[in-house]
Amino acid sequence: MTPFQIVIPARFASSRLPEKALADVAGKPLVVRVWEQAQRAAAESVWVATDHPRIAEAVQRAGGAVVMTAPEHPSGTDRLAEVVTQQRWGDETIVLNWQGDEPLLPVALVHAVVERLAAHPDAAIATAAVPVTTVREWRDPNVVKVVCDRNGYANYFSRAPLPWVREADPFALDANAAPPVPVWRHIGLYAYRAGFLRRFATWGEAPLEAAEKLEQLRALWYGARIVVHFAAEAPPPGVDTAEDLARIRAFFAQSRRNEFG
C-alpha cells in the first residue's frame, strides 16, 4: 500500500445543516464517526482540520489529532493546503481529502484512489467516478458528470448532461431509461500531491469554477491533470440534509444493536 495522509475538513458552519459536524450519531458526534472510519484506512496519519474549538475538543476527546485552520477558507481544498503547509509535508506526499460528513466511505475505494494517483506521477489529483444508470440522473444538475480521455484523465466536470448526444436529447428521453452512451458520475473523493495543494491555494477562482460551482475546475483551468478511478458502484451517501442525518443515525443505531444484541 502506498503511504498517504488523511485530512478530514470539518467546518462548524454548514448552510444546509448547521453544526452538523457535532450532530449526535448513536452517542458520538458525526465528525468522530468519520474519524473512526478513516482510522480503518491504515494511513500514516489522520488529521481533522477545523475552524472551531468545539469540533477540536470533540475529536481530541475521542483520541484524534486536530489541526486548527482559518475560518474563511472558500473550499475544503484550500483548508487542506493550510494543513499541508503547517505539517511541512513534502511535495510528493499523497494527501487524501476525506469529507467530514462521510462516515460510511468504503476503505477499499479510498485505497483505489490513492493507488490511482501513485500510479500516475504526471497527475496532481486522483478522484473517482461511477456509471450513471438513468436519464434522470444524467440530466440532474446535482449529479456532477465527468468526461475523460481514453487514458482516464478528466477533460471536464459539469452539472450539465455531458456528453451531449445530438441525436438523443436527454430532456426528451424517458427519465427511467439508461443513457444512450456511457456517462460517468463524479464522486467527490480526492487524493492530492502536497505540492499541488500549496500551488492551488495561490490561484484565484477560475471562471468555469465560478460558473459551475465546482472547485476541481480550478485545477483543470490552471493545467493540472486529474486521473479518475472508475468504480463499479457508488459509496453510501454522506450527510447533507436532515433526512441524510436520520438515515445515518438509524444505520449506526442498528449496528450497535447488532453488536450488543
Side-chain angles (χ1 to χ4, degrees), residues 54-74:
R54 284 180 58 194
I55 295 175
E57 180 184 356
V59 173
Q60 290 168 335
R61 192 183 306 122
V66 174
V67 178
M68 297 303 298
T69 54
E72 64 271 10
H73 288 302

Side-chain angles (χ1 to χ4, degrees), residues 180-200:
V181 295
V183 180
W184 292 92
R185 174 180 185 164
H186 178 232
I187 301 299
L189 173 64
Y190 299 97
Y192 305 92
R193 299 189 192 280
F196 164 79
L197 285 168
R198 278 187 276 267
R199 295 193 302 276
F200 182 92

Side-chain angles (χ1 to χ4, degrees), residues 11-26:
R11 290 190 310 124
F12 185 72
S14 175
S15 55
R16 292 197 218 175
L17 198 60
E19 301 181 26
K20 73 175 177 181
L22 297 175
D24 181 82
V25 177

Side-chain angles (χ1 to χ4, degrees), residues 218-253:
R218 190 190 316 180
L220 293 182
W221 178 265
Y222 285 96
R225 302 194 80 186
I226 302 176
V227 66
V228 179
H229 165 69
F230 300 102
E233 59 183 11
V239 179
D240 286 324
T241 66
E243 292 76 17
D244 295 335
L245 181 59
R247 174 181 47 79
I248 291 292
R249 283 170 167 164
F251 173 87
F252 278 96

Side-chain angles (χ1 to χ4, degrees), residues 31 79 99 136 150 190 202:
V31 67
R79 195 172 302 280
Q99 299 291 346
R136 177 182 290 105
R150 65 177 182 173
Y190 299 97
T202 68

Side-chain angles (χ1 to χ4, degrees), residues 19-71:
E19 301 181 26
K20 73 175 177 181
L22 297 175
D24 181 82
V25 177
K28 297 180 181 180
L30 174 61
V31 67
V32 171
R33 291 291 184 186
V34 175
W35 172 79
E36 288 177 337
Q37 179 67 358
Q39 290 290 111
R40 298 184 175 98
E44 290 192 313
S45 66
V46 179
W47 297 86
V48 173
T50 187
D51 59 353
H52 202 279
R54 284 180 58 194
I55 295 175
E57 180 184 356
V59 173
Q60 290 168 335
R61 192 183 306 122
V66 174
V67 178
M68 297 303 298
T69 54

